[in-house]
Amino acid sequence: MDFILYEVNGAVGTITINREKALNALNSQVLEELDATLDAVDLDAVRCLILTGAGAKSFVAGADIGEMSTLTKAEGEAFGKKGNDVFRKLETFPIPVIAAVNGFALGGGCELAMSCDIRICAENAVFGQPEVGLGITPGFGGTQRLARLVGAGMAKQMIYTARNIKADEAFRIGLVNAVYPAEELMAQAEKMAGGIAKNAPIAVRNCKKAINEGLDVDMDKAIVIEEKLFGDCFETEDQKYGMAFFLDKNKEKVKEPFKNC
Ligand code: CAA
C-alpha cells in the first residue's frame, strides 16, 4: 500500500489515508487501497475502526482535482461510482467506523467522513462541499448524505454556496458529535472506539444494521427490521454472557463478559 496505513491495537483498527503531500486527496489508487484495506480487516478480531488522515493539516482535501480535470462524462460517472462503491462499503461495514477529522474535510473528504458512523473532529477541522466552484456536483454521496445528516435546507446552503464551515459550526449543525483540541483527537477517538469494542459485538453490529437499514424505509418496515435483529441476538454468546453478567450476584467472576464472544 502506498497511500493507506492500517494498524490494529487490541480490538480497534485505525486506517490512515496517507497522502500528506496532496493533503490526502483521493485519487483512484487511494480509493482502491482503501477498498482493499476494508476487505482485509479481520472481523473476528477487530470490533471498531477509526478513520483519519496523515499529518496535522488535513483529513482529506477532496477527490483528486488533477485526476478529475481531464475526465470525459463517462469517466466522470465511473470515478463517482468508484468512490461511491468504497464509501458505501464503509457505511455498511459490519462494525462501527469513527471518523477522526484532523483538518480539512472538503468535497470527497467531507463525503468520506459522512460515510462513517460517527464523526469527531479537531478544532482546526474545516468542512465543506466546494464542488460547484469547480464546475461539478459533489460526487461521492455528498448531495445525499449531507441532506440526511443536517437537513435539506442546510445541505443545500452549504452545497450551493460552496462555503466551508469551521469545527464549531459543524458541531452546531450536527455534522460532528464533538470537537477536541488537535492533540487530544486521536486519544478521544481511541477511547470511544475502545468503549464500543467492549460491548457485545453481535449486538453492536445488529444496532448498526438496524439504524442504517431502518433509515431507508418507513417506520412500519423499520420496526420489523429491528424486531428481526433484536431476535437474532438471542441464543448468542453475547446475549447469554451479557444477561448472565447482569444477573450474577458474584460479578467479579465475569469481569469482561464479551472478551471471547
Ligand atoms: N486534489 C488534488 N490535489 C490537492 C487537493 C485535491 N483535492 N487538495 C490539495 N491538493 C494539493 C495541492 O495541489 C498542493 O499540491 P502541490 O504542493 O503539489 O502544489 C498540496 O495539496 C497542498 O495544497 P495547497 O498548497 O493548496 O494548501 P493550502 O493550505 O494553501 O490550501 C486547501 C489547502 C484549502 C485544502 C486547498 O488545497 C484546496 O482548496 N484544495 C481543494 C479542496 C477541494 O476543492 N476539494 C474538493 C475536490 S472535488 C471533489 O471532492 C468531488 C467529489 O465530491 C468526488
Side-chain angles (χ1 to χ4, degrees):
M1 297 269 172
D2 294 326
F3 297 132
I4 301 283
L5 302 173
Y6 180 55
E7 281 175 296
V8 177
N9 185 5
V12 176
T14 300
I15 297 175
T16 305
I17 312 283
N18 185 31
R19 194 184 171 215
E20 203 178 334
K21 278 189 187 153
L23 301 183
N24 305 318
L26 303 170
N27 62 15
S28 290
Q29 188 180 344
V30 178
L31 293 171
E32 283 156 19
E33 290 187 9
L34 179 57
D35 190 51
T37 303
L38 291 174
D39 286 344
V41 171
D42 178 359
L43 288 169
D44 290 330
V46 175
R47 294 183 180 182
C48 188
L49 288 177
I50 297 169
L51 180 66
T52 193
K57 190 170 166 182
S58 183
F59 174 70
V60 165
D64 191 295
I65 298 170
E67 180 173 337
M68 287 187 295
S69 62
T70 57
L71 299 183
T72 62
K73 284 181 195 290
E75 288 165 346
E77 190 176 334
F79 187 62
K81 178 166 170 41
K82 184 179 277 243
N84 275 332
D85 286 352
V86 186
F87 287 18
R88 188 72 179 136
K89 183 178 280 188
L90 192 63
E91 185 170 48
T92 59
F93 207 61
I95 57 175
V97 186
I98 300 168
V101 179
N102 57 317
F104 293 114
L106 301 176
C110 188
E111 292 167 313
L112 180 61
M114 290 192 292
S115 305
C116 297
D117 295 276
I118 295 165
R119 285 151 295 288
I120 60 174
C121 75
E123 284 166 347
N124 67 325
V126 177
F127 295 82
Q129 297 288 162
E131 287 88 348
V132 294
L134 295 164
I136 56 173
T137 67
F140 293 164
T143 57
Q144 303 310 308
R145 292 194 181 93
L146 190 58
R148 283 164 171 78
L149 273 172
V150 303
M154 187 58 78
K156 286 176 175 176
Q157 182 179 329
M158 281 180 66
I159 291 171
Y160 300 166
T161 63
R163 188 178 67 84
N164 294 339
I165 60 170
K166 292 185 179 160
D168 56 347
E169 192 172 351
F171 177 66
R172 188 178 58 76
I173 66 172
L175 186 52
V176 295
N177 290 8
V179 183
Y180 298 105
E183 61 279 10
E184 289 175 24
L185 178 67
M186 284 314 289
Q188 292 291 346
E190 283 156 15
K191 187 172 164 199
M192 188 188 291
I196 291 170
K198 250 185 12 209
N199 287 325
I202 294 170
V204 170
R205 287 180 186 214
N206 284 8
C207 289
K208 173 166 179 172
K209 213 167 148 54
I211 293 168
N212 279 359
E213 293 181 6
L215 282 172
D216 287 340
V217 297
D218 66 46
M219 186 57 82
D220 288 322
K221 293 193 180 95
I223 54 173
V224 174
I225 291 171
E226 187 191 75
E227 284 158 17
K228 173 81 178 79
L229 288 160
F230 174 68
D232 279 351
C233 293
F234 288 84
E235 300 178 54
T236 63
E237 298 272 285
D238 280 8
Q239 180 257 334
K240 287 183 197 159
Y241 276 116
M243 293 192 181
F245 179 70
F246 178 81
L247 296 171
D248 193 342
K249 301 284 174 243
N250 195 7
K251 281 194 170 130
E252 60 276 12
K253 276 189 197 158
V254 269
K255 264 190 188 142
E256 290 188 73
F258 304 114
K259 201 171 174 194
N260 299 311
C261 289

mmCIF file of all heavy atoms in Angstrom, residues 21-23 25 57 61-66 68 104 106-108 111 130-131 134 136 138-140, ligand 1:
data_model
loop_
_atom_site.group_PDB
_atom_site.id
_atom_site.type_symbol
_atom_site.label_atom_id
_atom_site.label_comp_id
_atom_site.label_asym_id
_atom_site.label_seq_id
_atom_site.Cartn_x
_atom_site.Cartn_y
_atom_site.Cartn_z
ATOM 1 N N LYS A 21 1.312 14.860 1.085
ATOM 2 C CA LYS A 21 1.751 15.936 0.167
ATOM 3 C C LYS A 21 0.598 16.541 -0.608
ATOM 4 O O LYS A 21 0.652 17.695 -1.021
ATOM 5 C CB LYS A 21 2.766 15.370 -0.839
ATOM 6 C CG LYS A 21 4.164 15.293 -0.289
ATOM 7 C CD LYS A 21 5.138 14.942 -1.393
ATOM 8 C CE LYS A 21 6.512 14.707 -0.810
ATOM 9 N NZ LYS A 21 7.318 13.801 -1.628
ATOM 10 N N ALA A 22 -0.430 15.746 -0.862
ATOM 11 C CA ALA A 22 -1.620 16.254 -1.561
ATOM 12 C C ALA A 22 -2.777 16.397 -0.580
ATOM 13 O O ALA A 22 -3.952 16.327 -0.957
ATOM 14 C CB ALA A 22 -1.997 15.323 -2.701
ATOM 15 N N LEU A 23 -2.451 16.646 0.680
ATOM 16 C CA LEU A 23 -3.460 16.810 1.747
ATOM 17 C C LEU A 23 -4.448 15.640 1.765
ATOM 18 O O LEU A 23 -5.632 15.792 2.025
ATOM 19 C CB LEU A 23 -4.184 18.155 1.606
ATOM 20 C CG LEU A 23 -3.280 19.400 1.661
ATOM 21 C CD1 LEU A 23 -4.112 20.678 1.597
ATOM 22 C CD2 LEU A 23 -2.412 19.406 2.909
ATOM 23 N N ALA A 25 -5.639 13.880 -0.628
ATOM 24 C CA ALA A 25 -6.673 13.864 -1.679
ATOM 25 C C ALA A 25 -6.830 12.452 -2.237
ATOM 26 O O ALA A 25 -5.883 11.670 -2.303
ATOM 27 C CB ALA A 25 -6.298 14.841 -2.791
ATOM 28 N N LYS A 57 -2.686 18.661 9.177
ATOM 29 C CA LYS A 57 -3.415 19.716 8.465
ATOM 30 C C LYS A 57 -4.723 19.249 7.836
ATOM 31 O O LYS A 57 -5.658 20.038 7.701
ATOM 32 C CB LYS A 57 -2.466 20.231 7.377
ATOM 33 C CG LYS A 57 -2.902 21.474 6.675
ATOM 34 C CD LYS A 57 -1.775 22.020 5.801
ATOM 35 C CE LYS A 57 -2.308 23.053 4.845
ATOM 36 N NZ LYS A 57 -1.263 23.569 3.959
ATOM 37 N N ALA A 61 -8.598 16.338 1.613
ATOM 38 C CA ALA A 61 -8.956 17.607 0.951
ATOM 39 C C ALA A 61 -9.771 17.390 -0.318
ATOM 40 O O ALA A 61 -9.804 18.250 -1.197
ATOM 41 C CB ALA A 61 -7.707 18.422 0.664
ATOM 42 N N GLY A 62 -10.408 16.223 -0.428
ATOM 43 C CA GLY A 62 -11.323 16.009 -1.549
ATOM 44 C C GLY A 62 -10.824 14.975 -2.523
ATOM 45 O O GLY A 62 -9.755 14.380 -2.354
ATOM 46 N N ALA A 63 -11.632 14.764 -3.556
ATOM 47 C CA ALA A 63 -11.185 13.920 -4.661
ATOM 48 C C ALA A 63 -10.053 14.656 -5.376
ATOM 49 O O ALA A 63 -9.945 15.885 -5.299
ATOM 50 C CB ALA A 63 -12.342 13.660 -5.604
ATOM 51 N N ASP A 64 -9.216 13.895 -6.065
ATOM 52 C CA ASP A 64 -8.032 14.481 -6.698
ATOM 53 C C ASP A 64 -8.436 15.310 -7.922
ATOM 54 O O ASP A 64 -8.906 14.776 -8.926
ATOM 55 C CB ASP A 64 -7.064 13.354 -7.101
ATOM 56 C CG ASP A 64 -5.726 13.922 -7.515
ATOM 57 O OD1 ASP A 64 -5.670 14.645 -8.535
ATOM 58 O OD2 ASP A 64 -4.732 13.677 -6.807
ATOM 59 N N ILE A 65 -8.231 16.622 -7.803
ATOM 60 C CA ILE A 65 -8.692 17.535 -8.854
ATOM 61 C C ILE A 65 -7.858 17.349 -10.132
ATOM 62 O O ILE A 65 -8.380 17.421 -11.246
ATOM 63 C CB ILE A 65 -8.654 19.002 -8.353
ATOM 64 C CG1 ILE A 65 -9.603 19.153 -7.152
ATOM 65 C CG2 ILE A 65 -9.054 19.973 -9.468
ATOM 66 C CD1 ILE A 65 -9.489 20.469 -6.404
ATOM 67 N N GLY A 66 -6.574 17.067 -9.965
ATOM 68 C CA GLY A 66 -5.719 16.818 -11.142
ATOM 69 C C GLY A 66 -6.233 15.629 -11.941
ATOM 70 O O GLY A 66 -6.373 15.698 -13.175
ATOM 71 N N MET A 68 -9.231 14.404 -11.936
ATOM 72 C CA MET A 68 -10.577 14.626 -12.497
ATOM 73 C C MET A 68 -10.581 15.604 -13.665
ATOM 74 O O MET A 68 -11.520 15.617 -14.458
ATOM 75 C CB MET A 68 -11.506 15.179 -11.395
ATOM 76 C CG MET A 68 -11.915 14.162 -10.356
ATOM 77 S SD MET A 68 -13.157 14.836 -9.233
ATOM 78 C CE MET A 68 -12.241 16.126 -8.401
ATOM 79 N N PHE A 104 -8.711 19.556 7.131
ATOM 80 C CA PHE A 104 -9.640 19.750 6.009
ATOM 81 C C PHE A 104 -10.447 18.482 5.710
ATOM 82 O O PHE A 104 -9.885 17.393 5.560
ATOM 83 C CB PHE A 104 -8.869 20.131 4.739
ATOM 84 C CG PHE A 104 -8.220 21.485 4.809
ATOM 85 C CD1 PHE A 104 -6.835 21.616 4.800
ATOM 86 C CD2 PHE A 104 -8.996 22.638 4.880
ATOM 87 C CE1 PHE A 104 -6.232 22.867 4.870
ATOM 88 C CE2 PHE A 104 -8.401 23.894 4.948
ATOM 89 C CZ PHE A 104 -7.013 24.004 4.947
ATOM 90 N N LEU A 106 -12.936 18.333 2.908
ATOM 91 C CA LEU A 106 -13.605 19.065 1.832
ATOM 92 C C LEU A 106 -14.009 18.111 0.717
ATOM 93 O O LEU A 106 -13.294 17.146 0.426
ATOM 94 C CB LEU A 106 -12.657 20.145 1.274
ATOM 95 C CG LEU A 106 -12.175 21.169 2.311
ATOM 96 C CD1 LEU A 106 -11.158 22.134 1.688
ATOM 97 C CD2 LEU A 106 -13.359 21.947 2.885
ATOM 98 N N GLY A 107 -15.126 18.412 0.078
ATOM 99 C CA GLY A 107 -15.571 17.583 -1.043
ATOM 100 C C GLY A 107 -15.593 16.116 -0.643
ATOM 101 O O GLY A 107 -16.271 15.718 0.315
ATOM 102 N N GLY A 108 -14.814 15.299 -1.368
ATOM 103 C CA GLY A 108 -14.749 13.871 -1.056
ATOM 104 C C GLY A 108 -14.312 13.580 0.372
ATOM 105 O O GLY A 108 -14.613 12.512 0.907
ATOM 106 N N GLU A 111 -17.402 13.944 2.361
ATOM 107 C CA GLU A 111 -18.231 12.783 1.984
ATOM 108 C C GLU A 111 -17.715 11.491 2.633
ATOM 109 O O GLU A 111 -18.492 10.635 3.047
ATOM 110 C CB GLU A 111 -18.250 12.655 0.456
ATOM 111 C CG GLU A 111 -19.002 13.816 -0.193
ATOM 112 C CD GLU A 111 -18.780 13.916 -1.696
ATOM 113 O OE1 GLU A 111 -17.617 13.832 -2.145
ATOM 114 O OE2 GLU A 111 -19.771 14.059 -2.423
ATOM 115 N N PRO A 130 -17.065 22.044 -1.795
ATOM 116 C CA PRO A 130 -16.736 23.160 -2.691
ATOM 117 C C PRO A 130 -16.937 22.872 -4.175
ATOM 118 O O PRO A 130 -16.543 23.677 -5.033
ATOM 119 C CB PRO A 130 -15.243 23.409 -2.403
ATOM 120 C CG PRO A 130 -14.724 22.154 -1.802
ATOM 121 C CD PRO A 130 -15.882 21.313 -1.344
ATOM 122 N N GLU A 131 -17.592 21.760 -4.508
ATOM 123 C CA GLU A 131 -17.604 21.280 -5.889
ATOM 124 C C GLU A 131 -18.174 22.260 -6.904
ATOM 125 O O GLU A 131 -17.663 22.354 -8.031
ATOM 126 C CB GLU A 131 -18.372 19.947 -5.989
ATOM 127 C CG GLU A 131 -17.626 18.763 -5.407
ATOM 128 C CD GLU A 131 -17.854 18.553 -3.916
ATOM 129 O OE1 GLU A 131 -18.404 19.448 -3.259
ATOM 130 O OE2 GLU A 131 -17.480 17.484 -3.411
ATOM 131 N N LEU A 134 -15.917 24.273 -8.689
ATOM 132 C CA LEU A 134 -15.043 23.584 -9.649
ATOM 133 C C LEU A 134 -15.836 23.142 -10.888
ATOM 134 O O LEU A 134 -15.305 22.449 -11.759
ATOM 135 C CB LEU A 134 -14.427 22.337 -8.994
ATOM 136 C CG LEU A 134 -13.470 22.581 -7.820
ATOM 137 C CD1 LEU A 134 -13.262 21.293 -7.031
ATOM 138 C CD2 LEU A 134 -12.127 23.100 -8.333
ATOM 139 N N ILE A 136 -18.568 21.132 -10.861
ATOM 140 C CA ILE A 136 -19.155 19.783 -10.734
ATOM 141 C C ILE A 136 -20.076 19.727 -9.516
ATOM 142 O O ILE A 136 -20.072 20.656 -8.694
ATOM 143 C CB ILE A 136 -18.053 18.680 -10.595
ATOM 144 C CG1 ILE A 136 -17.122 18.986 -9.409
ATOM 145 C CG2 ILE A 136 -17.270 18.519 -11.901
ATOM 146 C CD1 ILE A 136 -16.116 17.870 -9.090
ATOM 147 N N PRO A 138 -21.092 17.541 -5.958
ATOM 148 C CA PRO A 138 -20.453 16.528 -5.113
ATOM 149 C C PRO A 138 -20.676 15.166 -5.772
ATOM 150 O O PRO A 138 -21.749 14.920 -6.332
ATOM 151 C CB PRO A 138 -21.217 16.636 -3.790
ATOM 152 C CG PRO A 138 -21.741 18.039 -3.770
ATOM 153 C CD PRO A 138 -22.076 18.342 -5.204
ATOM 154 N N GLY A 139 -19.669 14.306 -5.711
ATOM 155 C CA GLY A 139 -19.776 13.068 -6.492
ATOM 156 C C GLY A 139 -19.599 11.785 -5.718
ATOM 157 O O GLY A 139 -19.753 10.700 -6.283
ATOM 158 N N PHE A 140 -19.271 11.879 -4.430
ATOM 159 C CA PHE A 140 -19.125 10.657 -3.632
ATOM 160 C C PHE A 140 -20.192 10.631 -2.525
ATOM 161 O O PHE A 140 -19.913 10.330 -1.364
ATOM 162 C CB PHE A 140 -17.727 10.564 -2.999
ATOM 163 C CG PHE A 140 -16.575 10.379 -3.966
ATOM 164 C CD1 PHE A 140 -15.263 10.608 -3.546
ATOM 165 C CD2 PHE A 140 -16.764 9.962 -5.280
ATOM 166 C CE1 PHE A 140 -14.172 10.430 -4.416
ATOM 167 C CE2 PHE A 140 -15.689 9.782 -6.162
ATOM 168 C CZ PHE A 140 -14.384 10.027 -5.724
HETATM 169 N N1 CAA B 1 -6.793 17.340 -5.321
HETATM 170 C C1 CAA B 1 -5.508 17.318 -5.701
HETATM 171 N N2 CAA B 1 -4.522 17.945 -5.035
HETATM 172 C C2 CAA B 1 -4.884 18.623 -3.937
HETATM 173 C C3 CAA B 1 -6.192 18.683 -3.466
HETATM 174 C C4 CAA B 1 -7.191 17.990 -4.205
HETATM 175 N N3 CAA B 1 -8.474 17.971 -3.836
HETATM 176 N N4 CAA B 1 -6.220 19.443 -2.356
HETATM 177 C C5 CAA B 1 -4.963 19.843 -2.134
HETATM 178 N N5 CAA B 1 -4.143 19.345 -3.075
HETATM 179 C C6 CAA B 1 -2.688 19.545 -3.198
HETATM 180 C C7 CAA B 1 -2.366 20.918 -3.766
HETATM 181 O O1 CAA B 1 -2.476 20.913 -5.177
HETATM 182 C C8 CAA B 1 -0.953 21.095 -3.292
HETATM 183 O O2 CAA B 1 -0.104 20.338 -4.116
HETATM 184 P P1 CAA B 1 1.321 20.975 -4.583
HETATM 185 O O3 CAA B 1 2.089 21.157 -3.304
HETATM 186 O O4 CAA B 1 1.872 19.917 -5.482
HETATM 187 O O5 CAA B 1 1.004 22.259 -5.254
HETATM 188 C C9 CAA B 1 -0.959 20.418 -1.923
HETATM 189 O O6 CAA B 1 -2.105 19.554 -1.923
HETATM 190 C C10 CAA B 1 -1.126 21.398 -0.785
HETATM 191 O O7 CAA B 1 -2.287 22.177 -1.048
HETATM 192 P P2 CAA B 1 -2.290 23.777 -1.003
HETATM 193 O O8 CAA B 1 -0.952 24.326 -1.365
HETATM 194 O O9 CAA B 1 -3.464 24.242 -1.822
HETATM 195 O O10 CAA B 1 -2.535 24.013 0.544
HETATM 196 P P3 CAA B 1 -3.253 25.258 1.224
HETATM 197 O O11 CAA B 1 -3.035 25.118 2.689
HETATM 198 O O12 CAA B 1 -2.872 26.535 0.576
HETATM 199 O O13 CAA B 1 -4.832 25.049 0.928
HETATM 200 C C11 CAA B 1 -6.837 23.778 0.769
HETATM 201 C C12 CAA B 1 -5.490 23.944 1.465
HETATM 202 C C13 CAA B 1 -7.766 24.964 1.136
HETATM 203 C C14 CAA B 1 -7.475 22.488 1.276
HETATM 204 C C15 CAA B 1 -6.637 23.733 -0.758
HETATM 205 O O14 CAA B 1 -5.635 22.779 -1.054
HETATM 206 C C16 CAA B 1 -7.862 23.355 -1.520
HETATM 207 O O15 CAA B 1 -8.759 24.170 -1.703
HETATM 208 N N6 CAA B 1 -7.933 22.105 -2.010
HETATM 209 C C17 CAA B 1 -9.012 21.611 -2.819
HETATM 210 C C18 CAA B 1 -10.252 21.380 -1.988
HETATM 211 C C19 CAA B 1 -11.408 20.966 -2.865
HETATM 212 O O16 CAA B 1 -11.881 21.713 -3.712
HETATM 213 N N7 CAA B 1 -11.902 19.720 -2.670
HETATM 214 C C20 CAA B 1 -12.986 19.179 -3.435
HETATM 215 C C21 CAA B 1 -12.485 18.386 -4.607
HETATM 216 S S1 CAA B 1 -13.769 17.914 -5.706
HETATM 217 C C22 CAA B 1 -14.447 16.525 -5.005
HETATM 218 O O17 CAA B 1 -14.081 16.093 -3.948
HETATM 219 C C23 CAA B 1 -15.503 15.901 -5.845
HETATM 220 C C24 CAA B 1 -16.242 14.810 -5.215
HETATM 221 O O18 CAA B 1 -17.176 15.026 -4.470
HETATM 222 C C25 CAA B 1 -15.940 13.427 -5.520
#
